[in-house]
């Protein structure tokens, strides 16, 4: 049965709408890929930093235990042992702050990169 002009036009409109919908879905999917990858990368960086911080805490804990065994506390006054432990704690604190500064810079850089990519697409 031959299709009338009205039937063909309706079919053509429907096909065009479908193509447009698929194109829009493809664009959204392509835009989501960098965001998903950035999110995955951010999670990987955070996990890595957290593991580094835990390792630093464990290292300080083991160091303090070793110092306690090698140089037992004597009397009430601050000893050489306490100075060594305090220095180790300060070193660990600096390490953690350095990691946070690094993470902050990575996030700022990623934000600038993503915003410049968005502006370039416009």
């Amino acid at each position: 049965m031959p299709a009338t002009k009205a039937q063909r036009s309706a079919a053509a409109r429907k096909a065009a709408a479908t193509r447009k919908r698929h194109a829009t879905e493809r664009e959204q999917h392509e835009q989501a890929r960098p965001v998903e990858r950035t999110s995955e990368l951010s999670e990987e960086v955070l996990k890595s930093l957290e593991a580094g911080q835990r390792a630093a805490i464990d290292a300080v804990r083991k160091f303090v235990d070793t110092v306690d065994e090698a140089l037992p506390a004597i009397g009430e006054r601050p000893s050489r042992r306490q100075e060594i432990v305090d220095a180790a704690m300060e070193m660990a604190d600096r390490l953690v702050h350095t990691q946070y500064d690094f993470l902050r810079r990575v996030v700022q850089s990623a934000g600038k990169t993503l915003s410049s990519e968005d502006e370039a697409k416009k």
Side-chain angles (χ1 to χ4, degrees), residues 31 114-122:
Q31 290 174 352
L114 289 175
S115 64
S116 65
E117 286 176 5
D118 287 343
E119 289 175 9
K121 287 181 182 179
K122 291 179 182 180

Side-chain angles (χ1 to χ4, degrees), residues 49-109:
L49 287 173
E50 182 180 357
Q53 290 170 352
R54 289 185 190 281
I57 290 169
D58 288 342
V60 169
R61 189 175 296 130
K62 288 177 185 177
F63 178 79
V64 170
D65 291 343
T66 302
V67 169
D68 281 341
E69 288 176 19
L71 302 170
I74 300 174
E76 293 293 319
R77 65 182 175 83
S79 64
R80 192 79 163 145
R81 173 182 128 336
Q82 189 61 45
E83 291 175 16
I84 293 169
V85 169
D86 289 345
M89 295 299 288
E90 184 178 336
M91 178 188 68
D93 186 53
R94 286 182 185 174
L95 176 64
V96 169
H97 282 289
T98 300
Q99 288 177 330
Y100 279 122
D101 288 342
F102 169 74
L103 178 60
R104 184 174 37 82
R105 289 182 185 126
V106 167
V107 169
Q108 286 175 345
S109 176

